[in-house]
Amino acid sequence: EAGVAQSPRYKIIEKRQSVAFWCNPISGHATLYWYQQILGQGPKLLIQFQNNGVVDDSQLPKDRFSAERLKGVDSTLKIQPAKLEDSAVYLCASSAGGAVKNIQYFGAGTRLSVL
Amino acid sequence: RKEVEQDPGPFNVPEGATVAFNCTYSNSASQSFFWYRQDCRKEPKLLMSVYSSGNEDGRFTAQLNRASQYISLLIRDSKLSDSATYLCVVNGGRGSYIPTFGRGTSLIVHP
């Protein structure tokens, strides 16, 4: 079974530029998550989708971050404009459904450096 | 108080030792709990779910204490390959089936 696919693996941009990350979840997984992980910290949930609807985006900085999940399959996370503090690993995860005992499967992540 | 708290460590132990980590959570309505393992520069991977009755998988034992609002992970007979960061995850901490990660506990097993 194919895992969660993310691209690109690495991205280096200058502050105030824009960047986009792509995620393709495990086939059939209804729930998709985007996390930001800063070095030395745990993953912080940015947004959670159930199919193509948003379950939670309370920690998404909406003035600069946006995400969409068209057709309830793959998803894109965008940052515009980027700030130095956005340097982090952006992880995408998926799980099979909306049940409480969801197990998440993670992609390899995109490592973003903002200069 | 943070929703999910872990001692970041590092915990430095010799091979063969037994080591235990705790993770406390603030929302008594939290519904499900997990331990994930994260190797350096890799993605988190599920280690084990945590059930109310406690559960064991080989050298690993996870327990839930709802009264005191913490979960624990016990590793027996530590191996060099157990060196990693251990992340606890609590679901339902914000009133829905939404996961919150702790910052992780670093374990270093030395020869």
Side-chain angles (χ1 to χ4, degrees):
Chain A
E1 179 184 79
V4 176
Q6 287 190 249
S7 67
R9 289 296 311 277
Y10 305 93
K11 191 74 178 177
I12 300 174
I13 61 172
E14 295 188 348
K15 59 183 179 183
R16 291 188 289 272
Q17 287 188 322
S18 301
V19 65
F21 314 127
W22 174 81
C23 173
N24 188 253
I26 292 172
S27 178
H29 277 194
T31 307
L32 185 148
Y33 314 79
W34 281 104
Y35 292 90
Q36 179 192 62
Q37 187 172 25
I38 293 172
L39 189 64
Q41 298 182 21
K44 177 179 117 177
L45 181 68
L46 294 176
I47 188 166
Q48 179 177 342
F49 292 96
Q50 178 75 15
N51 297 308
N52 59 350
V54 175
V55 174
D56 182 79
D57 63 358
S58 58
Q59 299 191 97
L60 185 74
K62 297 180 186 65
D63 57 333
R64 298 185 301 107
F65 286 64
S66 64
E68 60 182 11
R69 189 183 185 198
L70 299 176
K71 301 180 183 178
V73 181
D74 55 354
S75 177
T76 303
L77 176 69
K78 296 180 181 177
I79 308 176
Q80 179 179 13
K83 293 185 176 181
L84 297 176
E85 59 261 36
D86 299 332
S87 294
V89 176
Y90 290 84
L91 293 162
C92 179
S94 70
S95 62
V100 171
K101 295 186 186 299
N102 255 332
I103 293 172
Q104 298 178 66
Y105 298 87
F106 284 82
T110 296
R111 191 171 298 272
L112 174 67
S113 295
V114 182
L115 307 177
Chain B
R1 181 182 175 185
K2 290 184 179 178
E3 288 187 52
V4 179
E5 293 199 65
Q6 293 184 257
D7 180 347
F11 285 63
N12 224 306
V13 303
E15 273 187 291
T18 295
V19 62
F21 312 133
N22 281 346
C23 169
T24 59
Y25 59 95
S26 60
N27 191 326
S28 59
S30 299
Q31 306 209 30
S32 61
F33 310 87
F34 305 89
W35 284 102
Y36 278 73
R37 171 192 169 128
Q38 186 172 29
D39 293 295
C40 188
R41 300 179 74 86
K42 298 286 189 181
E43 71 274 21
K45 292 184 179 178
L46 179 72
L47 179 66
M48 56 199 305
S49 303
V50 186
Y51 302 123
S52 298
S53 56
N55 47 302
E56 188 174 309
D57 183 3
R59 298 181 294 109
F60 298 84
T61 301
Q63 295 204 313
L64 167 63
N65 186 318
R66 284 196 181 272
S68 301
Q69 295 182 205
Y70 73 88
I71 63 172
S72 63
L73 177 67
L74 180 77
I75 306 176
R76 290 180 298 277
D77 188 23
S78 298
K79 311 290 185 192
L80 296 176
S81 57
D82 293 335
S83 297
T85 295
Y86 291 84
L87 297 157
C88 71
V89 186
V90 176
N91 271 10
R94 291 198 289 279
S96 184
Y97 306 142
I98 296 167
T100 301
F101 277 78
R103 67 174 294 177
T105 296
S106 175
L107 172 65
I108 301 170
V109 182
H110 58 82

